[in-house]
Amino acid sequence: MIEDQGLSNTYRPDSFVIFLHIQKTAGMTMQRYLRKRFGPNLATRILWRVRKDPRTHSKTLAAAAQARTHKDRYFVGHFSFGMHRHLPSPATYLTFLRDPVQRVISLYKYSREHSHAYYHKQARSSGLEEFCLRSGLLELDNGMVRFIRGAKDEDFVNRTPFGLLERDDLETAKRNLDHHFFFLGLQERFDESFLLLAKYLGDRQPRYLRLNEAKSSKKEESIKPEVVDAIRQNNLLDLELYEYAQNRLNRDLAESFVDLEQELSLFEARNAAFNKRVGRLYRLSRLTRAQP
């Protein structure tokens, strides 16, 4: 059993926020938002880089987490439930889930197309079917349950052998979400989820930049129905967890907003205006910084 002392399913001003970023679930947008909300600012990040601060230059996630203090406010990364063992308390988690089949396929495509991706070589040397069904990667076998279920002596992902997760693991993941996650969102319903998170954090002017959105390639690889079905069979527990998340999000939205449709419409209009006003400048600044 993972030690959970100091954790809560409610956000308070003194809470240390832990963003459990499951691969291919709206992570970059959330990282930018949390950094804007909690810091550090650009000058501090540059200073950390120059000084090789252990908060950003540690060899392991655990060491980077242990270098954090309560003043740092939040921690984010690809890790499983249990990272709080290395972080300040009181603390609470947040995460996003995604349709399990689409998440697995997206991980393959991203890994294949980006040379910096952790599984780039593996994805480049195999097709989608081989990568998703025969690579043996644990993240492709009920990966969301693995991350949220956690493991006592493992920071990255639960390492139960491929195909051997059980219903008890799913139930443990659900209990962790119930008792230790103040927020649970869905990538497919990002704006609704984002609006809810902003409300929990007390953000009265929520907004985010639409950057790094996936673009459809001109020649999308056709996926055989039997391959999709096989991916689904490998992720039946994740499918149940995803359904649980849908129900929870519906409940949380109903409890938090009297007129969600109106709130969402106003938010989307304001956020579109923000993106039109700021997005181009942000992209230009990134291009300028990238010049030699």
Side-chain angles (χ1 to χ4, degrees):
M1 183 175 179
I2 299 173
E3 179 65 42
D4 57 13
Q5 187 175 1
L7 288 180
S8 171
N9 62 358
T10 303
Y11 172 77
R12 304 191 307 267
D14 65 339
S15 297
F16 192 94
V17 173
I18 306 169
F19 176 27
L20 192 160
H21 176 201
I22 299 171
Q23 298 144 317
K24 307 314 298 169
T25 57
M28 291 306 297
T29 300
M30 285 309 306
Q31 286 189 46
R32 283 189 293 268
Y33 175 70
L34 292 173
R35 187 169 61 231
K36 179 183 176 183
R37 186 72 186 165
F38 297 123
N41 58 29
L42 178 60
T44 300
R45 299 199 303 275
I46 292 174
L47 187 61
W48 284 0
R49 200 171 299 136
V50 170
R51 294 181 174 178
K52 295 185 177 181
D53 191 284
R55 283 170 285 197
T56 54
H57 285 73
S58 295
K59 292 183 178 180
T60 66
L61 270 172
Q66 289 164 3
R68 298 273 166 160
T69 70
H70 206 278
K71 291 181 180 180
D72 292 312
R73 305 290 304 280
Y74 81 104
F75 189 72
V76 57
H78 294 307
F79 48 74
S80 62
F81 177 78
M83 183 55 67
H84 60 273
R85 294 172 298 206
H86 310 294
L87 290 162
S89 64
T92 184
Y93 281 84
L94 72 92
T95 197
F96 273 78
L97 300 187
R98 182 179 184 176
D99 174 86
V101 175
Q102 293 305 313
R103 191 188 77 84
V104 167
I105 293 172
S106 178
L107 181 59
Y108 165 74
K109 291 181 177 179
Y110 180 85
S111 298
R112 185 177 178 84
E113 294 169 4
H114 294 83
S115 59
H116 63 272
Y118 192 77
Y119 296 122
H120 177 67
K121 290 183 179 179
Q122 199 161 353
R124 287 285 294 177
S125 63
S126 62
L128 183 144
E129 182 175 354
E130 181 181 355
F131 181 87
C132 295
L133 302 179
R134 293 187 286 276
S135 66
L137 294 177
L138 298 177
E139 298 95 309
L140 310 182
D141 171 52
N142 293 299
M144 296 193 299
V145 168
R146 288 179 181 274
F147 280 108
I148 295 173
R149 189 254 183 267
K152 185 176 180 180
D153 300 314
E154 172 61 47
D155 290 323
F156 176 52
V157 69
N158 182 292
R159 296 197 176 277
T160 300
F162 199 99
L164 295 184
L165 283 182
E166 300 178 348
R167 178 156 296 277
D168 283 349
D169 297 302
L170 171 62
E171 296 306 320
T172 298
K174 288 181 180 179
R175 285 196 298 273
N176 285 341
L177 289 172
D178 284 341
H179 297 295
H180 310 307
F181 285 69
F182 81 98
F183 170 81
L184 172 59
L186 297 177
Q187 174 160 316
E188 291 84 356
R189 297 170 64 183
F190 186 82
D191 279 0
E192 293 169 90
S193 300
F194 182 80
L195 199 58
L196 179 65
L197 175 61
K199 188 175 184 68
Y200 285 165
L201 295 178
D203 186 353
R204 296 182 179 180
Q205 294 183 315
R207 57 193 182 184
Y208 68 87
L209 284 176
R210 296 182 181 276
L211 300 172
N212 298 331
E213 292 182 325
K215 297 180 180 179
S216 299
S217 63
K218 295 180 180 179
K219 293 184 178 180
E220 284 286 348
E221 180 180 356
S222 62
I223 304 173
K224 301 175 184 177
E226 57 267 29
V227 173
V228 173
D229 186 61
I231 294 172
R232 187 181 302 275
Q233 289 300 312
N234 282 350
N235 291 276
L236 291 177
L237 297 179
D238 266 9
L239 285 164
E240 287 195 46
L241 189 69
Y242 184 73
E243 182 179 1
Y244 163 87
Q246 289 178 305
N247 292 333
R248 170 166 160 174
L249 181 59
N250 288 335
R251 181 201 70 202
D252 291 346
L253 289 168
E255 291 177 351
S256 299
F257 298 99
V258 175
D259 190 341
L260 175 61
E261 186 175 346
Q262 181 181 25
E263 292 270 8
L264 188 61
S265 178
L266 288 171
F267 163 70
E268 289 177 340
R270 291 168 181 164
N271 201 55
F274 171 72
N275 273 265
K276 186 176 182 179
R277 184 174 70 253
V278 178
R280 291 179 181 177
L281 293 175
Y282 186 90
R283 292 183 182 90
L284 181 61
S285 70
R286 287 175 65 88
L287 287 173
T288 303
R289 292 198 299 271
Q291 297 299 320

